[in-house]
């Protein structure tokens, strides 16, 4: 007799169906796991043996074969433990095989029989709901699984409790409904003294989802400005929160199995590797660009990152996804991020101050800024020169406007965009392309002439031209204008870096 239990293997944000098959054969007593298991899956036999001993069950003196089907799909992670245990118990006749057939099972087993949390439960729940089955998962992740919205969820604290539930001796309570965290607000723009141009650019970036680069000396407030951005961004809607939480689920970072309504803000150190930034590793996991999906990726000290690492962001910034290719897997993660970067103008940081600049100025500035490739710079919509803050700025009273007032204007602009793109794939102006961008962002005649002249004088690439249009459309939305005019194009051009002449 073959006992089968359904579970899943994770490939990016996709849950692939896996069937754990168990058969007891005559021969030398031994447990064999086949079907491309990794080290964690192969070790499940010892955790299962110990967990069964903890509840008073011993393995039969048989040759036990466990097959993870399909056999050519790599299996990674400890979440297969519970499915392996139930398949074995089904083969032993302890659990009814027909009962097990109606569930997808995930969970790690402790040596004392407890069912420990494992990453990816939300993805497994969505998969189970899609194929019309229930889900068996760890008790701590019951609220996370309930966000799938359909199907029965059995959140079991331990193996003996799960067996009693299946036998009808002591039913487990229904999994509690999932909770959503209240949106968290970062620093307030009222803390920023001066820097009116940078704050205006930050508002435009938030309203349209645009990438932004701030260049200025040390202590000018670049990091402070970036940390204020989450406070003026709109909260995630229900669909976006589910997308972000799916990434957190597979990465194992969901806080208390609760969905988050706060847009991610990730700030990796400049020593981060390519795998850390874009995803990968021996067991492919989402990188920082995917952990920041639908949120902000802040790269401070931009030229200090390895050039190859920065250039690996070029494709994700355009496509909104990152594909990690390995010999045994090809995994795709979402990466629809808003890039905010900050850098000093040169290595010493004081290029514009003759009293503090190093002896190599201005040559040091050209060398330092050349560490960031032109194609990456071309993908950044807003370039802002952040001026040093003087003592006179610091003694000024707090600004009249804080994050709340700016956030209200940003929300109005985002609402206009949501209505404009309700039948399109784009969500914000930064994602608009092709015919829809031409139809909605085409300037009036004076604006078209200015843009044509500027494109020639500034040597804008086709990508740069398109990004100027997108920024101009956002500026018009903030102003409540129906069309894009010359004044909107002029302001958008002021945030564009001019290509150097050869």
């Amino acid at each position: 007799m073959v006992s089968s239990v359904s579970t899943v293997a994770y490939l990016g944000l996709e849950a692939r169906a896996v069937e754990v098959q168990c058969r007891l054969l005559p021969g030398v007593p031994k447990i064999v796991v086949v079907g491309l298991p990794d080290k964690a899956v192969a070790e499940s036999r010892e955790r299962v043996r110990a967990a069964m001993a903890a509840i008073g069950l011993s393995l039969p003196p048989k040759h036990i074969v466990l097959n993870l089907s399909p056999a050519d799909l790599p299996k990674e992670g400890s979440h297969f433990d519970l499915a392996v245990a139930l398949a074995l118990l089904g083969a032993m006749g302890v659990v009814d095989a027909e009962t097990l057939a109606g569930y997808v099972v995930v969970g790690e087993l402790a040596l004392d029989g407890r069912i420990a949390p494992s990453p990816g439960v939300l993805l497994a729940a969505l998969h189970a709901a899609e194929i019309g089955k229930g889900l068996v998962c760890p008790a701590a992740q019951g609220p996370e699984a309930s966000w799938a919205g359909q199907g029965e969820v059995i959140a079991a604290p331990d193996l003996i409790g799960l067996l009693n539930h299946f036998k009808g001796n002591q039913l487990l309570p229904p999994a509690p409904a999932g909770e959503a965290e209240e949106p968290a607000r970062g620093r307030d723009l009222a803390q920023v003294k001066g820097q009116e141009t940078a704050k205006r650019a930050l508002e435009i970036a938030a309203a349209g989802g645009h990438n932004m680069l701030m260049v200025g000396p040390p202590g000018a407030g670049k990091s402070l400005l970036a940390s204020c951005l989450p406070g003026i961004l709109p909260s995630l809607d229900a669909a976006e929160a589910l997308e972000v939480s799916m990434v957190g689920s597979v990465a194992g970072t969901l806080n208390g199995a609760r969905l988050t309504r706060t847009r991610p803000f990730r700030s990796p150190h400049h020593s981060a590797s390519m795998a850390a930034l874009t995803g990968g590793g021996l067991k492919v996991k989402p990188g920082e660009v995917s952990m920041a999906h639908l949120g902000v990726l802040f790269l401070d000290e931009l030229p200090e990152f390895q050039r190859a690492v920065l250039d690996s962001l070029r494709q994700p910034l355009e496509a909104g996804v990152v594909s990690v290719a390995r010999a045994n897997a090809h995994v795709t993660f979402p990466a629809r991020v808003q890039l905010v970067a900050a850098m000093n103008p040169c290595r010493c940081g004081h290029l514009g101050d003759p009293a503090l600049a190093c002896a190599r100025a201005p040559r040091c500035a050209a060398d330092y800024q050349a560490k960031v490739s032109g194609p990456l710079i071309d993908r950044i919509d807003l370039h802002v020169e952040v001026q040093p803050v003087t003592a006179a700025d610091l003694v000024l009273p707090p600004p009249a406007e804080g994050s709340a007032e700016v956030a209200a204007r940003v929300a109005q602009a985002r609402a206009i965009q949501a209505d404009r793109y309700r039948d399109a794939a784009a969500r914000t102006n930064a994602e608009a392309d092709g015919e829809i961008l031409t139809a909605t962002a085409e300037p009036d005649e004076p604006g078209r002439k200015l843009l044509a002249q500027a494109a020639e004088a500034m040597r804008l690439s086709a990508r740069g031209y398109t990004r100027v249009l997108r920024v101009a459309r956002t500026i018009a939305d903030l102003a409540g204008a129906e069309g894009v005019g010359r004044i909107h194009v002029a302001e958008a051009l002021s945030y564009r870096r001019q290509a150097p002449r050869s």
Side-chain angles (χ1 to χ4, degrees):
M1 173 186 171
V2 177
S3 173
S4 299
V5 173
S6 296
T7 184
V8 293
Y10 303 118
L11 282 180
L13 293 192
E14 181 185 0
R16 296 275 187 91
V18 172
E19 185 178 54
V20 181
Q21 304 164 349
C22 180
R23 185 158 191 170
L24 308 182
L25 301 172
V28 178
K30 185 179 180 181
I31 302 178
V32 179
V33 182
V34 296
L36 285 185
D38 75 341
K39 184 72 171 174
V41 180
E43 290 174 345
S44 66
R45 58 193 175 195
E46 302 304 329
R47 291 190 292 272
V48 168
R49 189 197 306 271
M52 291 177 63
I55 63 174
L57 294 175
S58 59
L59 295 179
K62 299 280 188 178
H63 187 78
I64 303 171
V65 179
L66 290 155
N67 178 43
L68 309 180
S69 176
D72 61 346
L73 178 68
K75 319 300 188 306
E76 299 177 348
S78 60
H79 66 278
F80 290 97
D81 287 4
L82 188 56
V84 167
L86 290 179
L88 180 52
L89 290 169
M92 294 167 57
V94 177
V95 183
D96 182 35
E98 291 186 5
T99 302
L100 296 176
Y103 295 94
V104 173
V105 179
V106 291
E108 177 184 330
L109 278 176
L111 299 185
D112 59 358
R114 287 179 294 109
I115 302 176
S118 60
V121 165
L122 180 57
L123 274 67
L126 292 168
H127 170 77
E130 183 179 339
I131 63 175
K133 290 188 176 184
L135 179 77
V136 177
C137 68
Q141 293 176 299
E144 178 182 340
S146 66
W147 280 107
Q150 300 177 18
E152 179 187 4
V153 175
I154 299 177
D158 47 42
L159 186 58
I160 188 65
L162 181 60
L163 294 180
N164 285 333
H165 177 86
F166 281 143
K167 289 178 177 293
N169 298 334
Q170 187 176 1
L171 297 181
L172 293 170
E179 297 181 359
E181 295 179 349
E182 287 297 320
R185 295 296 178 187
R187 293 187 175 182
D188 199 293
L189 275 173
Q191 300 176 21
V192 181
K193 301 291 185 70
Q195 306 297 7
E196 296 305 320
T197 301
K199 286 193 285 188
R200 169 64 176 172
L202 198 70
E203 180 178 342
I204 296 170
H210 302 288
N211 301 327
M212 178 176 172
L213 171 65
M214 293 178 283
V215 182
K222 302 183 295 294
S223 298
L224 174 60
L225 283 161
S227 65
C228 292
L229 183 54
I232 61 176
L233 288 172
S235 302
L236 296 169
D237 61 30
E240 291 175 333
L242 190 60
E243 282 187 56
V244 171
S245 297
M246 285 170 66
V247 178
S249 177
V250 76
T253 59
L254 276 191
N255 183 20
R258 291 178 296 180
L259 264 66
T260 177
R261 298 297 300 274
T262 304
R263 293 192 180 273
F265 182 86
R266 307 289 295 189
S267 179
H269 191 260
H270 59 255
S271 62
S273 66
M274 189 180 299
L277 203 61
T278 59
L282 183 61
K283 298 178 181 179
V284 181
K285 293 290 186 183
E288 291 291 331
V289 71
S290 296
M291 297 300 293
H293 178 56
L294 297 178
V296 179
L297 177 65
F298 176 49
L299 301 183
D300 201 4
E301 308 296 346
L302 186 68
E304 300 299 334
F305 284 82
Q306 297 177 42
R307 182 163 184 158
V309 173
L310 288 180
D311 284 344
S312 68
L313 292 175
R314 284 155 56 175
Q315 182 265 344
L317 289 176
E318 285 292 310
V321 296
V322 57
S323 296
V324 181
R326 293 293 181 267
N328 61 352
H330 189 91
V331 181
T332 299
F333 294 108
R336 185 70 66 185
V337 300
Q338 184 174 352
L339 175 66
V340 176
M343 60 182 285
N344 296 327
C346 59
R347 184 169 293 280
C348 71
H350 299 286
L351 179 67
D353 190 338
L356 298 175
C358 66
R360 295 188 64 243
R363 177 63 185 271
C364 68
D367 294 343
Y368 190 66
Q369 295 180 26
K371 295 173 71 176
V372 184
S373 70
L376 180 63
I377 290 293
D378 201 36
R379 285 167 167 81
I380 299 178
D381 305 348
L382 302 165
H383 301 258
V384 184
E385 297 286 341
V386 182
Q387 300 302 319
V389 179
T390 65
D393 293 324
L394 295 176
V395 298
L396 290 173
E401 277 193 344
S403 291
E405 292 78 13
V406 177
R409 292 197 295 270
V410 169
Q412 288 179 345
R414 287 286 184 110
I416 293 172
Q417 294 165 59
D419 183 63
R420 178 186 300 135
Y421 304 125
R422 62 181 179 275
D423 297 324
R427 306 189 200 205
T428 61
N429 289 330
E431 299 173 21
D433 211 347
E435 293 181 0
I436 191 169
L437 179 65
T438 304
T440 60
E442 187 67 24
D444 58 14
E445 188 59 30
R448 192 179 303 112
K449 289 182 179 179
L450 175 62
L451 184 55
Q453 294 169 0
E456 177 66 25
M458 300 174 69
R459 304 173 68 187
L460 293 178
S461 66
R463 179 186 292 114
Y465 183 94
T466 299
R467 290 181 179 272
V468 170
L469 277 182
R470 292 170 177 170
V471 174
R473 179 66 267 179
T474 299
I475 294 170
D477 288 343
L478 283 169
E482 184 70 24
V484 177
R486 178 185 173 90
I487 188 172
H488 308 129
V489 173
E491 184 175 2
L493 288 168
S494 71
Y495 298 119
R496 196 74 198 167
R497 173 178 288 190
Q498 184 168 350
R501 292 195 176 273
S502 54

